[in-house]
Structures are given as structure tokens and as C-alpha cells.
Amino acid sequence: MSSNAGCSSSFATDYARHRVPLSPVQRAILAAGAAAISFADPFRGDMIACLAETTGSDALSYCHQKMLATSEGSRILAEKPRISSSTIDFSALKQLPPGTLGRIYYDFLDVNNVSPDSRTAVRFVQDTELAYVMQRYRETHDIYHALLLMPTTMLGEVSVKWIEAVQLRLPMCFSGAIFGAFRLRPRQRKLYVEHYLPWAINTAVGAKFLLSIYFEERWEQPLADFHREANIVPLVPLNT
């Protein structure tokens, strides 16, 4: 269901084409501009991506070390698999039994009309290894939504952002979680404070490090089994 052979070298080659070298001053200016635009217009995905890359160096180093600490995470870094329509057989995921991780991921993409191919290529992370960590995070974001059973509503996005913020320590995730919460309607805000936020923090602290999970090798795993293994208690029930 995937064909990631040779992805390690292909990522390095691909990233060399996209990489934009920056001086410290250029990085600071770009980060400030991206922050200003992102706060004014939270739907500017390009600016949010830019902000993440120009402010996330320490967090990416932390994530890299966390991944190296497990055999599964180490293999991800060594093999550098990609998640896209050219590497994942989505027609095969569609045929998997309901309740499996791969089928739930496929259904999430289908229901929400999203594609992993829409993820922005990393450009401003200077180290190729750390650039891959950022790219992996972007390409697994929708998988987090699917396995956590969180929709793409503002409430769902903010909840997932808190989990990513606590686990990954990316400044962009913290700002997205905090400022996104201000956009919630009164009824959503009540649910957020009483249920979603405590659940997100507890999940982030107690669950396995999501970036170290080789999802491509787990498509056939029942989500209920994955939840037990990863120490995740879903906030909403899994309907199969």
C-alpha cells in the first residue's frame, strides 16, 4: 500500500530544489512578517507554514531526538517515507475493513475533501534532517485528525493543535492553539474548556510520541488496538 523505497535520497534531492538559504537577519524579518500576516488572517496557510519553519529550529531538534530514541522513529528518519498520492495506494486503503487505521484515514480524507498532496513543501529549514521532520509533521497532520477522531471544525483543529503543541513544542502550534480558541463560538468555547482542552492536554502528555509512529506500516491495524498501544483514550466514540 506504499512505495517508499529510495525516499531517503529522494527527499534530500527534492529538498535541495526547494531550500531557500537565509541569514539570521533575513530569518528574523521573515518570521516577524509571517507572524503578523498569520495573526491577521489565520487562513493564510503559506504564512503559517513560513512561521513554523522560521521559528521552529529548537523544536525540530527536540522532535528529531525523540524520534531517534525509538526503533520505529529511527527507521522513519533513515527511510524518510513520504505521504502523498504517489506513495500511498489510497484505493487499497478504501478496501480495508472499517475501523482500521488506513480505512479511517481514507474516510477522513474523503469526507473532508482534503488531500495529502496539498501540504506545502518545506523551504526555510536549513538542516535537511530537520526539514524532513517538519515535512513529516505536515504530511501526518491529517492522520492525527483521523486517529484522534477529530473533525476539521475549529474546535477539532484547536484540540489537535494543543496535542501537537505539547508533543512537538513547535511555537506555531502553540500560537495556533491559543489564538484559534479565541475564534470559537460561545457554545464551542464551553465544550472546549470543559472537555476538549483537558482531553487534549492529557492525551498529549500520556500518549506515545505521534511523530515516531510509522503509520504506513499500520494501515491494517484496528484503531481500537492502536489506541490501546499508544495510550490514547478518544474523546468521542469510534463508530464502525
Side-chain angles (χ1 to χ4, degrees):
M1 278 176 249
S2 62
S3 55
N4 282 308
C7 276
S8 179
S9 60
S10 66
F11 175 80
T13 301
D14 186 54
Y15 184 60
R17 293 198 302 267
H18 292 104
R19 181 177 178 271
V20 178
L22 295 173
S23 69
V25 172
Q26 290 173 321
R27 181 173 298 277
I29 293 172
L30 191 59
I37 296 173
S38 298
F39 294 148
D41 183 0
F43 297 100
R44 281 290 301 271
D46 57 336
M47 289 296 99
I48 293 173
C50 178
L51 180 63
E53 294 176 34
T54 52
T55 62
S57 183
D58 289 344
L60 292 174
S61 295
Y62 167 78
C63 292
H64 188 262
Q65 290 302 312
K66 290 281 287 185
M67 294 175 75
L68 284 175
T70 68
S71 59
E72 203 167 339
S74 295
R75 285 194 297 108
I76 293 172
L77 291 173
E79 299 171 13
K80 293 182 172 55
R82 301 296 302 276
I83 296 176
S84 70
S85 59
S86 63
T87 62
I88 304 296
D89 184 352
F90 286 99
S91 62
L93 296 189
K94 184 179 181 180
Q95 302 304 316
L96 288 173
T100 55
L101 198 155
R103 174 64 179 275
I104 287 172
Y105 174 48
Y106 173 86
D107 289 344
F108 173 86
L109 296 177
D110 185 52
V111 168
N112 293 283
N113 194 30
V114 294
S115 166
D117 296 337
S118 64
R119 293 299 168 187
T120 307
V122 176
R123 294 186 296 162
F124 303 116
V125 178
Q126 301 308 291
D127 182 89
T128 302
E129 283 293 302
L130 299 187
Y132 174 75
V133 174
M134 177 63 81
Q135 192 70 48
R136 179 69 177 178
Y137 157 60
R138 286 183 185 164
E139 293 176 4
T140 54
H141 173 76
D142 288 331
I143 299 180
Y144 301 164
H145 269 278
L147 68 86
L148 293 166
L149 305 176
M150 284 289 110
T152 56
T153 60
M154 182 59 68
L155 187 56
E157 285 289 354
V158 169
S159 301
V160 173
K161 271 288 176 286
W162 269 119
I163 293 172
E164 294 173 340
V166 174
Q167 284 216 342
L168 310 182
R169 302 185 180 180
L170 283 165
M172 176 274 296
C173 292
F174 279 106
S175 63
I178 294 169
F179 288 100
F182 285 114
R183 298 170 59 85
L184 296 172
R185 296 188 296 274
R187 181 177 177 276
Q188 290 179 315
R189 192 171 297 118
K190 187 174 187 294
L191 289 171
Y192 168 71
V193 172
E194 294 181 358
H195 302 287
Y196 283 77
L197 180 58
W199 169 79
I201 300 301
N202 288 335
T203 299
V205 172
K208 290 180 68 172
F209 191 63
L210 295 177
L211 206 54
S212 287
I213 295 172
Y214 213 140
F215 294 107
E216 296 90 330
E217 298 180 347
R218 294 171 173 266
W219 296 137
E220 298 179 13
Q221 183 176 12
L223 187 61
D225 289 350
F226 175 80
H227 282 164
R228 282 191 289 271
E229 178 189 342
N231 197 31
I232 292 173
V233 179
L235 183 63
V236 296
L238 172 61
N239 295 316
T240 58

